[in-house]
Amino acid sequence: MSEISSTAVSVDVQALRRRQGRFSALESGHRACLGCGQALAVRLVSESTGPDIMVANATGCLEIFTTPWPESAWRVPWFHSLFENTGAIASGMEAALKAQGRNTKVVAFAGDGGTFDIGFQALSGLLERGHNVLYVCFDNEAYMNTGIQRSSSTPHAAMTTTSPPGKARMGKRHLKKDIISIVAAHHIPYAATASVAYPSDVRKKVRRALAIEGPTFLQIHSPCPLGWGHEGDKSIEVGRLAVQSGLFPLIELERGALTGAMPLRQVRPVAEYLKAQNRFRHLFAKSEWADEELEHLQALADHNIEVYGLRGEGRDALDSEGADTIHRGGQRWA
Amino acid sequence: MIKALEGSQALAEAVALCRPQVIAAYPITPQTHIVENLAKLVANDKLQCEYVSVESEFSAASVALGAVAAGSRAYTASASQGILLMSEVLFNIAGMRIPLVMTCANRAVSAPLSIWNDQQDSMAVRDAGWIQLYCGDNQEAVDTTIQAYKIAEECELPVMVCVDGFTLTHTLEAIDIPSVEQVDLFLPPFQFSRTLTSQQPMSAGALVAPDIYSEARYSHHQALLKAAEVIERVDNEWQTATGRGYGGLVKVELNPDGETGLLVLGSATGTFYDAIVEQALDEVRLIRLRSFRPFPIAALKEACAGLKRLIVVERALSLGSGGIVTAELRAALAGSAAMPLIHSFAIGLGGRDIPISTVADLLARVEGATEPVAFEIFAIDSDKLSPEDQ
């Protein structure tokens, strides 16, 4: 400790602090991996929620890396019960706060396993009953906490420890579940997808969700360097390619109807996104089957671009995408 | 006020008197009438609370858990498959030391599917860390429900009030429903020391390493043991307030010096009581086990002192082992100076009638026995068994 003193840091710490968001629910010192998309997503979400929230957290990486007893990285009331009941725990909290006349907003945090798979029923119940809860799914497309097993959110053809490629398999055989459409089919007031690669967009969508009385849902694409097989400093780049290729469209749905989509001015080929990650490396083995799957994934992206009308027309002065680019020196947004 | 009420309706009124702020419910026979009656009270504005109709028992327990964590008194009820489905949450609720009260309308467990009464469901979750109280009749079910909130909130432990399905839940009895004033005097407004609030953020449900898990289990175990005293005290307080008490943990009835003991849980107590009185079986000491968790070893030793023989009558079994209560009782009494001969029987499984002749039949079965009946499902009809089991 004695070797690191504040005087050894040449930057103006006060000035740096002034540039930072005012509030983050997550204190530094937690045990997330380098480049963890989920940890970043939580920070972005909580910058918009502020401190007056109550968190129901599913079992998973986020729960593990933030609360190894007796430590906690949380600056907001935080409750972890089980893996699959987060929707119901949040419902109970909201009902209690309503009964007591308290206005604290209940926020549910869960991964894709806790949302798409094992916690799906409780989520559906929460949405159907119209609880005033913001449910945030940190989508890193597999069970990362248990060691990278496939979930129903894992993209088609991706390699996980339970969907390994081999002579008879080309990674995951099934498609990624279209959770946002399923959630939107509950006709809730607001459901959106977002990506940690677009911080302003995440913050904006959280603010929109919080302004609504009723159930709202946010699916945040959160790269996992360990599970996806890329360096920790590439999380933002990889996340951005998922969006720019059309594989992970950023959309907003109100009462089930599409009301917003981030346009793609320069659509990138899916292969660029896939090449950046080890979980798709078997697709570049130059076999007929691998080529077929590459085409398949490109077709999925093309389909998204078509159905959500993502193709933009040249650069637009009103685009704020550039403002999201993180520059060294702390200038996060313009 | 004395009213003729169906057990479920009486239970709903008792719950309402405790002013829960959140009720989470999912229908399952024979519990359903309880939450239907509560829904009716809410619909008619006789009870002001958030009534959350969940999509499963798993969520019923979870909603109640979330509600208590956020600072509200909560209630749920279930039975049978519902108890099994919510069992993961039940363990979690107890481990988090959440003061919640639920009713278990005891029912058999599938397979084979049966909607009728025995106590296999609550016995299956006996290790969840909940207090479990078994009720003899509907008056006791009403009174125990109110007591349960006081016990739960004082001990920061959840309480399961076990009420035999159909036998009690669907039976009309004359029941003295306590007044609002009585309950308000007895049960203080809900206060939970670990209520979540954004003014003083707290994290609950952390991951613990091997260096602390054992200590956490120790504390939970101690809390249950210490709850025995609270259960007794609260029952005494209720007796002072209303004139009705149930013996706290264990109640000895009829001949306290009888050398033949009959130990039972739940509604069969009433049948046995009547049988003993009607048939003038004066030598029988009737022992009612009211608190199964905590298991009241000291009280049971006292209740069994001087017995020559004891017939333990159970409404469930541990398959491949035998009587659940018996095993624990034998362990509790082992080594004591005058250990009675303990005979173990399961009766009334899956709703089979427990006729008033049962007591005499049981006594005849063990008449002159010098070896204990290790375990037996009573009155098996061998004609109905497959050839290899006959």
Side-chain angles (χ1 to χ4, degrees), chain B residues 246-257:
Chain B
Y246 301 95
L249 306 161
V250 177
K251 190 173 189 182
V252 176
E253 292 178 296
L254 300 168
N255 182 356
D257 302 316

Side-chain angles (χ1 to χ4, degrees), chain A residues 51-54 63-64 67-69 72 74-82 84-85 88-89 91-93 95-100 102 104 121-122 125 129 131, chain B residues 21-22 50 52-56 58-59 62-67 69-72 88-89 92 96 98 195-199 201-208 212:
Chain A
D52 193 16
I53 58 170
M54 188 177 288
E63 167 253 330
I64 298 290
T67 58
W69 198 90
S72 173
W74 294 95
R75 303 182 63 191
V76 291
W78 179 92
F79 195 82
H80 160 248
S81 166
L82 298 168
E84 68 274 46
N85 64 354
I89 292 287
S91 300
M93 286 176 166
L97 294 178
K98 205 168 164 189
Q100 296 166 37
R102 286 159 70 189
T104 300
Q121 177 178 312
R129 293 187 300 267
H131 292 279
Chain B
Q21 285 180 299
V22 177
E50 292 295 316
V52 186
S53 295
V54 286
E55 78 297 332
S56 70
F58 195 91
S59 283
S62 301
V63 164
L65 166 57
S72 283
E88 188 191 2
V89 193
N92 191 249
M96 295 188 84
I98 294 290
T195 294
L196 292 173
T197 149
S198 49
Q199 278 77 47
M202 179 182 62
S203 301
L207 169 78
V208 304
I212 195 69

Side-chain angles (χ1 to χ4, degrees), chain B residues 28-30 78-84 104-124 163-167 315-317 347-352:
Chain B
I28 183 169
T29 303
S78 195
S80 184
Q81 309 308 119
I83 296 285
L84 298 187
C104 175
N106 287 105
R107 166 183 148 180
V109 159
S110 175
L113 180 63
S114 162
I115 62 160
W116 291 279
N117 165 240
D118 64 31
Q119 294 168 352
Q120 193 68 57
D121 47 5
S122 52
M123 284 289 160
V163 180
D164 282 321
F166 292 114
T167 318
R315 309 293 315 285
L317 68 148
I347 65 165
L349 300 182
R352 187 170 294 188

Side-chain angles (χ1 to χ4, degrees), chain A residues 45-46 49-50 52-57 77-79 86 90 93-94 97 104-110 126 132-136 138 206 210:
Chain A
V45 168
S46 64
T49 62
D52 193 16
I53 58 170
M54 188 177 288
V55 176
N57 202 133
W78 179 92
F79 195 82
T86 314
M93 286 176 166
E94 186 259 2
L97 294 178
T104 300
K105 181 83 178 191
V106 176
V107 182
F109 285 158
L126 174 150
N132 182 22
V133 171
L134 166 61
Y135 188 107
V136 183
F138 304 105
V206 172
L210 287 175

Side-chain angles (χ1 to χ4, degrees), chain A:
Chain A
M1 282 297 283
S2 59
E3 288 168 33
I4 305 166
S5 70
S6 60
T7 51
V9 183
S10 60
V11 297
D12 180 346
V13 176
Q14 289 306 316
L16 201 60
R17 283 222 175 107
R18 279 198 295 277
R19 289 202 193 97
Q20 285 175 342
R22 278 193 63 230
F23 177 80
S24 170
L26 213 49
E27 195 56 84
S28 60
H30 59 69
R31 300 175 185 191
C33 304
L34 286 174
C36 173
Q38 192 180 29
L40 174 58
V42 172
R43 204 187 83 197
L44 295 173
V45 168
S46 64
E47 279 173 11
S48 282
T49 62
D52 193 16
I53 58 170
M54 188 177 288
V55 176
N57 202 133
T59 306
C61 285
L62 180 61
E63 167 253 330
I64 298 290
F65 75 67
T66 59
T67 58
W69 198 90
E71 294 161 5
S72 173
W74 294 95
R75 303 182 63 191
V76 291
W78 179 92
F79 195 82
H80 160 248
S81 166
L82 298 168
F83 198 178
E84 68 274 46
N85 64 354
T86 314
I89 292 287
S91 300
M93 286 176 166
E94 186 259 2
L97 294 178
K98 205 168 164 189
Q100 296 166 37
R102 286 159 70 189
N103 291 320
T104 300
K105 181 83 178 191
V106 176
V107 182
F109 285 158
D112 48 283
T115 303
F116 290 57
D117 291 344
I118 198 167
F120 183 65
Q121 177 178 312
L123 167 63
S124 180
L126 174 150
L127 300 175
E128 182 266 332
R129 293 187 300 267
H131 292 279
N132 182 22
V133 171
L134 166 61
Y135 188 107
V136 183
C137 169
F138 304 105
D139 183 6
N140 59 19
E141 305 189 322
Y143 290 91
M144 301 313 187
N145 190 43
T146 42
I148 321 163
Q149 291 80 29
R150 67 81 95 180
S151 75
S152 63
S153 171
T154 303
H156 178 68
M159 168 174 66
T160 69
T161 55
T162 50
S163 64
K167 268 187 193 157
R169 291 281 187 276
M170 193 53 75
K172 188 190 173 189
R173 297 162 78 193
H174 315 101
L175 294 176
K176 180 182 171 88
K177 189 190 274 185
D178 185 4
I179 193 76
I180 196 73
S181 296
I182 298 168
V183 165
H186 290 77
H187 296 284
I188 60 168
Y190 186 72
T193 59
S195 164
V196 288
Y198 296 86
S200 296
D201 187 59
V202 174
R203 290 193 200 92
K204 182 195 80 179
K205 284 171 174 165
V206 172
R207 284 195 299 271
R208 276 204 74 178
L210 287 175
I212 292 163
E213 177 92 14
T216 52
F217 181 88
L218 198 55
Q219 177 190 359
I220 306 182
H221 206 222
S222 309
C224 170
L226 198 71
W228 293 11
H230 60 76
E231 291 300 319
D233 61 358
K234 296 287 182 221
S235 295
I236 300 301
E237 274 178 54
V238 170
R240 193 162 286 235
L241 280 168
V243 174
Q244 289 173 334
S245 63
L247 263 188
F248 196 90
L250 301 190
I251 56 170
E252 293 173 289
L253 298 136
E254 293 177 44
R255 301 267 170 220
L258 186 70
T259 54
M262 179 181 281
L264 307 178
R265 306 289 176 202
Q266 291 169 302
V267 178
R268 310 282 284 268
V270 164
E272 258 187 65
Y273 169 62
L274 305 179
K275 262 185 191 159
Q277 309 164 65
N278 273 337
R279 62 176 172 157
F280 294 111
R281 88 181 149 209
H282 53 286
L283 300 182
F284 298 95
K286 301 283 178 219
S287 74
E288 204 176 308
W289 192 4
D291 290 348
E292 219 174 81
E293 293 293 12
L294 276 177
E295 273 175 38
H296 188 174
L297 287 164
Q298 182 63 56
L300 287 173
D302 293 344
H303 175 77
N304 285 340
I305 292 169
E306 190 61 35
V307 296
Y308 294 119
L310 300 180
R311 202 175 290 278
E313 294 166 359
R315 294 213 64 84
D316 190 315
L318 296 177
D319 281 353
S320 57
E321 191 191 309
D324 265 343
T325 309
I326 297 171
H327 300 286
R328 287 202 176 278
Q331 285 184 312
R332 244 184 349 205
W333 59 84

